[in-house]
Amino acid sequence: MVKRMVSLYRSFFFFSAMLLLPMLGSTQKSYEASGDPKIAKQFFSFGDYFTALKEYQYLYILDTTKTEYCYPLGVCYLHTNIDKTKSIPLLEKVVAQKDFDAEAMYQLGAAYQSSCRFDEAIVCFNKYKTLSEGKDKNSIPLERCIEMCKNGIELVQHPINVTFENLGSKINSPSPDFNPFVNKNETMLFYTSQRSSNNGGMLDFDGYFTADVFASENNYGEWEKGRRLAPTFNSAMNEETVGLAADASQLFVFVDNFSAKMQTMVSYREGKSFQSLTALGSTINPSGKGATSVSVTPDKKTIFFASAKDGGEGGSDIYMSNLLPSGQWGPVKNLGKTINTKYNEDYPFIAPDGKTLYFASEGHNSMGGFDIFRSEWNAAENTFSEPVNIGYPLNTPDDNTTISFTGSGRYAYISALRKDSYGNLDIYRVTFNDINPGYTTLVSNLVEKDSVDIYKIFYKKLTTRIDSLEKATDTAAVAKNSTPQLQVTALKAKLQLLTEKLQSGPEVKITVQSATNLALVGNYKPNKQSGKFIVILTPGEYVVTIHCEGYQELKENVIIINREMPIKEITKSFRLTSI
C-alpha cells in the first residue's frame, strides 16, 4: 500500500513512541548509513526498507562483488519510492547464481510487474511456483500476481486519455506527499506530507518523518505554497488526510497519536478556519477497528468508510451509514460483494455528483496492488454497478489509492511516483481530456498607445476628411464654369469611396492560433461600428495576430487559465502602434 500503515505497525509505533518519548522529544535528523551489515539486516527485517536501502547502498558501493547484498538492496528499491527499476539488474544477478533463495525469483517477478514488463513477470512467477514447491508465503498469492499481470497486459493496451501535471515545489517536496483532496470548485486543497520540518521532527517506523496535514488555496489558477495546519491539528505523531466534503465543510483525518489511536476523525470548517478534530462516534470507529478513510455525500446524509472490522468479505471492506435525526450515524452496512472482495478495499470517494463512487481495491481486475475503481450508486435502491477499473496510466502496477474529483469531473487529484517527481510521491492534477472544459469569452477592442479606441480615431479622421471633401465638391460644383468637369468628377468619386470606407470601417484581420502548435483557432473581424470582437476559447495559451491598416502588425499571447470554474468573460484591449 502507498501510505496506509498496517495496523500492527501503527500500534507498535504508538506504544514504542510512548516508551521512547524522552528520547524522541528532540528533533531527529535523517538517518546516515553506518556501513554495518548487522544494522542493515535489522532494518531490513523490521520492514524499514527506506533506511535499510541507505545501509545496503553504502555496503554495495564498498564492494560491488558481494552478491549477498544484491538481494536485500533489490528488495529495498522495489519497496520504496526511489527508483523501482533499479531493483531489476540486482535481482537478475541474484537468480543468475547457481544457488539462490527462491524468494528472489518472486521479487524479480514483482520488479518486472512494477515496470509493466508483464510477460517476463509471469515467467518469473511460474518459475517461483516450481522453486517454492507450492510454499507461497507472500502477502499477495502467486496466482493472484499472475492474474494481475494479465490484467495489466489488457489495461496497458487501452490507455485512457489523461494528462498529468505536477503541482510543483509550492506543494511537493523530496519527501512523500500524498492523499490529496480538493473541493468541488477546486479552490481548496488538503494533503499529507512526511517532510523533515513536520511537527516534532520524529521519525516513523518506516524511516520517514511522521505525517502532518497541509493545506493550500487556489489563487487565480495557481496553488499557493502549502502550509501545515496548526499544532492543535497536527501533533508530533501521525495525522493523514483521508477525506473531504465536496464543499470543504468537513475534513476527515486518520489519527494515530496520543489523543486517538488509529481512527478517522473530523474537523468542521467555520468561516475560513477548521476547528479541532472530533470523534466520528463508535458506529464508525468501533474499538480496535476504526475507519481508515471516509467520504461523505454532498448532502452530508450518508457516509462511506473503509474498515477491517470483523464480518466483512475479507481484509478491509467499504461500509456505509446514514445520518439519524439525532445527528448520530446509524447502523453500518457492508457494500457487499459487488464492491468488496476477499482482498483489501480502501479510500472510498463519493464524487460531487453524489452518485459516482470511487474506491481503491486489491481485488477485481487490478493490475498490481491497489487500483482505483468506479461504480455508480443508485441511492433509491441502494445498489452499485459492477466496478470498472478507471484505467492505465492513472492506475499502475504500484499502489494507486486516493483520487479526488472536482465538480465537473474533468479534473482530479492523485499522488503518484512519476519521472518528474521531486524524489518520492508527489501530488498531481489529472485532466480527463475526453470531458470538455469550460469556455471563456474574450471580449476585445483595438486601441492606440494612449488607450484611445482606433475606431473612434478612424471615424473622426474619416468624417473630417469627408466634410472637407464635401465642401470642396460643393465649391467646385458652384464654380463649374471655372472648374474643369474632370476635377469635379474626381472629387465626387473620392467622396463616394470615403463614404463607403466610413460604412465598412478600417481593414482589420485578426488571427487566433494555439501557442503550442500554431494550430488555427479562427479568423475574426471586429464589429464595423463598435470595433469590438469576441473569441470563445477553452483553457490554454493562444497567439493573437492583428493586421490593421495604418498600424504595425501586433502579436500578443493570451492565456486562459485551466481551472475548474473558468472566468466566464475577459475584457481586453490590444494596443496598436501607428505607422
Side-chain angles (χ1 to χ4, degrees), residues 336-528:
K337 292 183 178 180
T338 301
I339 300 297
N340 295 312
T341 68
K342 63 181 179 180
Y343 303 103
N344 289 308
E345 278 72 40
D346 208 340
Y347 291 105
F349 173 80
I350 190 73
D353 64 10
K355 62 181 181 180
T356 308
L357 177 68
Y358 295 87
F359 65 98
S361 176
E362 291 178 321
H364 303 290
N365 64 325
S366 165
M367 65 190 296
F370 279 95
D371 274 10
I372 299 170
F373 292 83
R374 180 183 68 250
S375 175
E376 296 301 315
W377 175 40
N378 184 327
E381 299 178 5
N382 200 29
T383 57
F384 296 86
S385 65
E386 194 68 28
V388 175
N389 189 308
I390 62 174
Y392 173 86
L394 203 150
N395 282 325
T396 69
D398 292 323
D399 284 322
N400 309 102
T401 52
T402 60
I403 192 164
S404 178
F405 279 87
T406 60
S408 67
R410 176 173 166 81
Y411 308 105
Y413 285 72
I414 65 166
S415 59
L417 180 70
R418 295 177 59 82
K419 290 182 179 180
D420 62 346
S421 295
Y422 282 74
N424 210 292
L425 289 170
D426 275 3
I427 310 299
Y428 286 84
R429 184 191 199 225
V430 181
T431 301
F432 288 76
N433 297 310
D434 292 335
I435 298 177
N436 293 328
Y439 292 90
T440 295
T441 301
L442 180 68
V443 180
S444 304
N445 65 326
L446 308 177
V447 299
E448 286 197 350
K449 291 289 186 180
D450 56 2
S451 298
V452 179
D453 193 296
I454 69 164
Y455 271 67
K456 290 182 179 179
I457 297 171
F458 172 82
Y459 287 121
K460 184 176 181 180
K461 287 181 178 180
L462 204 58
T463 302
T464 301
R465 291 176 64 190
I466 289 173
D467 289 344
S468 177
L469 268 176
E470 284 178 338
K471 290 178 181 178
T473 304
D474 290 343
T475 301
V478 171
K480 57 183 178 181
N481 295 331
S482 59
T483 304
Q485 186 61 36
L486 187 63
Q487 185 177 345
V488 174
T489 303
L491 285 171
K492 288 183 177 180
K494 192 170 185 179
L495 181 61
Q496 177 66 27
L497 287 173
L498 289 177
T499 303
E500 291 175 358
K501 186 69 173 176
L502 185 66
Q503 294 174 348
S504 64
E507 288 291 331
V508 181
K509 180 182 178 183
I510 300 167
T511 302
V512 180
Q513 297 171 285
S514 165
T516 305
N517 55 16
L518 296 182
L520 179 65
V521 175
N523 294 312
Y524 303 87
K525 283 187 175 295
N527 180 279
K528 294 178 181 180

Side-chain angles (χ1 to χ4, degrees), residues 128-202:
Y128 173 74
K129 187 175 184 179
T130 301
L131 292 168
S132 64
E133 298 177 345
K135 298 176 182 179
D136 184 4
K137 299 179 181 179
N138 292 286
S139 58
I140 301 179
L142 180 65
E143 293 304 323
R144 179 57 181 163
C145 290
I146 294 174
E147 284 179 7
M148 286 179 166
C149 287
K150 291 178 179 179
N151 294 336
I153 292 171
E154 177 67 21
L155 289 166
V156 168
Q157 289 178 351
H158 304 93
I160 57 175
N161 185 16
V162 293
T163 303
F164 296 87
E165 175 193 352
N166 189 302
L167 293 197
S169 59
K170 287 185 178 181
I171 300 297
N172 294 309
S173 70
S175 302
D177 301 290
F178 53 98
N179 289 12
F181 291 92
V182 67
N183 64 332
K184 63 180 180 181
N185 293 337
E186 201 180 13
T187 57
M188 303 177 72
L189 171 69
F190 299 89
Y191 63 104
T192 306
S193 183
Q194 288 187 287
R195 56 194 68 182
S196 60
S197 59
N198 281 1
N199 285 339
M202 291 170 57

